[in-house]
Amino acid sequence: MALPLLKYAPTTQNSRVNALRVGSDEDPKAVSMEKAMDREDQNFVIEAAYRQIFFHAFKVDRDRTLESQLRDGQITVRDFIRSLCLSDTFTRSFYNLNSNYRVARHLVEKLLGRPTHGKSEEIAWSAVLMTRGVKGMVDDILDSQEYLEAFGYDTVPYHRNRVVGSRDLGETPFNITSPRYDAYYRSILGFPQVVYTGTVKAYPERARQRRGGFPEDYLPWVRSLPAMRATSAAASADINYLAKVPYRSIGR
């Protein structure tokens, strides 16, 4: 039996506040199929959709049939986003490698363009994910009034209103705060891997020249010193230290 979406209290989020400021470089850029005038613009919209859902789409992850249908106007951007979320690539490379809470948070961030309203919203969407699967959750989000008002049918979802008026820096993008793999699976897969592709820097010739005060220059002098005789612990214990202290009378 499918459970309805549980009630949760919305928290104060930056995406729910209208921007009252002059435009800047960090303002969100809407990518819409309605503004695509030629094939190059259409490709830009398709790439933006792949980046929004997959972070990065390799050649094997792309669906040429869906791309062709989108270019010909047979499907909308919303249908294209839905197909990406229900694709084998998303299931294999994200859904199977994360918990329901992370998947619910990821879908809310990617499809609605805002952080979740606390843990209560994650639990509510996790219940939908548990009873109806990814398709049920994706359908509910894409058919919701919030999604339609924010992005409509032909706009690729994006991180809404990243700039915070009271701070110099805006909100961190979702692909940084919520990476594709959880920490448990990152350790299994060996991420992160540091691959150095540069050249190894060697010390210049002048740095290898001996100068005054170099410690190794004093090794021959140290070796020429007479060896110090080590005193045993028993010999030290036999010394009468009190007899060696000079006696001093109080009256003198």
Side-chain angles (χ1 to χ4, degrees):
M1 178 178 178
L3 297 176
L5 184 63
L6 302 176
K7 300 295 183 180
Y8 56 87
T11 57
T12 303
Q13 297 287 350
N14 188 33
S15 59
R16 300 174 61 239
V17 181
N18 294 328
L20 300 176
R21 64 182 185 277
V22 180
S24 65
D25 293 337
E26 291 197 13
D27 285 344
K29 304 297 189 298
V31 180
S32 177
M33 207 66 178
E34 295 178 347
K35 303 177 182 179
M37 304 302 295
D38 52 13
R39 189 175 182 85
E40 183 178 354
D41 295 339
Q42 294 175 354
N43 292 336
F44 183 77
V45 175
I46 293 173
E47 292 295 335
Y50 279 123
R51 288 195 306 269
Q52 183 68 13
I53 305 302
F54 292 158
F55 301 104
H56 175 76
F58 297 96
K59 186 177 182 179
V60 70
D61 299 331
R62 305 177 69 95
D63 194 327
R64 301 299 182 182
T65 303
L66 287 176
E67 295 179 12
S68 177
Q69 292 176 353
L70 181 60
R71 291 192 183 95
D72 296 339
Q74 299 177 2
I75 60 175
T76 62
V77 173
R78 189 179 69 144
D79 297 329
F80 187 74
I81 294 294
R82 188 196 310 270
S83 300
L84 294 183
C85 293
L86 302 180
S87 63
D88 178 70
T89 299
F90 183 85
T91 302
R92 173 174 38 83
S93 64
F94 189 87
Y95 177 73
N96 293 338
L97 300 179
N98 291 279
S99 64
N100 284 354
Y101 294 116
R102 273 186 61 85
V103 175
R105 183 168 68 250
H106 173 82
L107 289 177
V108 170
E109 292 174 347
K110 289 298 183 179
L111 299 182
L112 295 180
R114 62 164 176 83
T116 55
H117 296 314
K119 197 67 177 180
S120 57
E121 185 176 11
E122 293 183 17
I123 295 175
W125 284 115
S126 297
V128 176
L129 192 64
M130 176 183 61
T131 56
R132 299 173 54 199
V134 179
K135 186 178 186 304
M137 180 177 177
V138 171
D139 290 341
D140 287 353
I141 293 180
L142 296 182
D143 296 338
S144 64
Q145 191 68 22
E146 181 181 0
Y147 180 89
L148 295 176
E149 290 179 356
F151 309 112
Y153 293 90
D154 292 312
T155 302
V156 178
Y158 54 87
H159 192 163
R160 292 182 282 166
N161 200 8
R162 282 187 52 213
V163 177
V164 182
S166 59
R167 298 203 307 259
D168 295 335
L169 298 177
E171 293 180 346
T172 306
F174 296 140
N175 59 343
I176 299 178
T177 58
S178 299
R180 175 180 294 187
Y181 302 115
D182 200 357
Y184 173 75
Y185 289 98
R186 288 202 301 270
S187 62
I188 294 178
L189 297 174
F191 296 145
Q193 295 180 353
V194 179
V195 179
Y196 182 72
T197 58
T199 58
V200 179
K201 295 183 178 180
Y203 287 105
E205 187 64 28
R206 63 179 182 275
R208 288 187 288 229
Q209 295 178 359
R210 293 290 183 89
R211 294 178 174 84
F214 198 75
E216 292 185 4
D217 295 340
Y218 296 93
L219 287 179
W221 174 75
V222 174
R223 292 192 181 99
S224 64
L225 295 177
M228 299 181 62
R229 296 180 180 178
T231 57
S232 62
S236 300
D238 296 337
I239 300 176
N240 188 1
Y241 293 99
L242 295 179
K244 294 182 176 298
V245 177
Y247 174 77
R248 183 177 180 181
S249 176
I250 301 178
R252 294 182 181 178

